[in-house]
Amino acid sequence: MEQLKHFVLYVIKLTVLICIIGFFLLKEDVSYMVHTVQHGEDVHALSEQYRGTLSEEKWIAIFERENNMYFGTYVYRGQYVVVPVHDTVNLIDTIERRLVSNS
């Protein structure tokens, strides 16, 4: 009985450890902002603008999840959407602003 108790505790500790490691490995390096869709914009154009180094498929999956789009990713002019902004986009934008202000 005591061995079973130790085994169960071991399995619980291992499960918690795997969950913690998984959380950090799956953490998305994105922030979010609200974007008003302009004339001529579609999901692919938004992806190019905001995805940074994320793959287009990954960005669109996050976009669909955040906007509860389960049956297609069509957007229309004037629609407010939550767009994931990959951290590299923010970094590049900050560097560009510094370069312009130093000129």
Side-chain angles (χ1 to χ4, degrees):
M1 190 65 166
E2 192 66 30
Q3 288 179 340
L4 180 62
K5 185 177 177 181
H6 286 294
F7 177 74
V8 170
L9 286 173
Y10 174 76
V11 169
I12 291 171
K13 289 176 185 179
L14 186 61
T15 303
V16 169
L17 180 64
I18 290 171
C19 289
I20 291 170
I21 291 171
F23 173 77
F24 287 107
L25 290 177
L26 297 175
K27 182 179 177 291
E28 299 166 342
D29 293 329
V30 296
S31 53
Y32 299 92
M33 63 177 279
V34 176
H35 176 83
T36 306
V37 178
Q38 304 299 313
H39 177 71
E41 285 184 327
D42 63 4
V43 175
H44 297 286
L46 294 174
S47 170
E48 287 299 316
Q49 184 176 354
Y50 293 110
R51 71 183 174 97
T53 58
L54 286 175
S55 70
E56 186 172 27
E57 293 80 18
K58 173 90 171 166
W59 188 91
I60 289 175
I62 297 169
F63 178 83
E64 289 173 337
R65 183 189 71 213
E66 294 300 319
N67 291 286
N68 298 318
M69 294 180 166
Y70 302 108
F71 303 106
T73 52
Y74 299 104
V75 294
Y76 55 88
R77 184 177 58 164
Q79 179 182 7
Y80 295 102
V81 292
V82 175
V83 292
V85 181
H86 193 267
D87 286 344
T88 57
V89 173
N90 292 331
L91 177 63
I92 292 169
D93 190 41
T94 302
I95 292 170
E96 285 177 350
R97 274 192 254 131
R98 286 182 187 162
L99 289 173
V100 169
S101 67
N102 288 337
S103 298

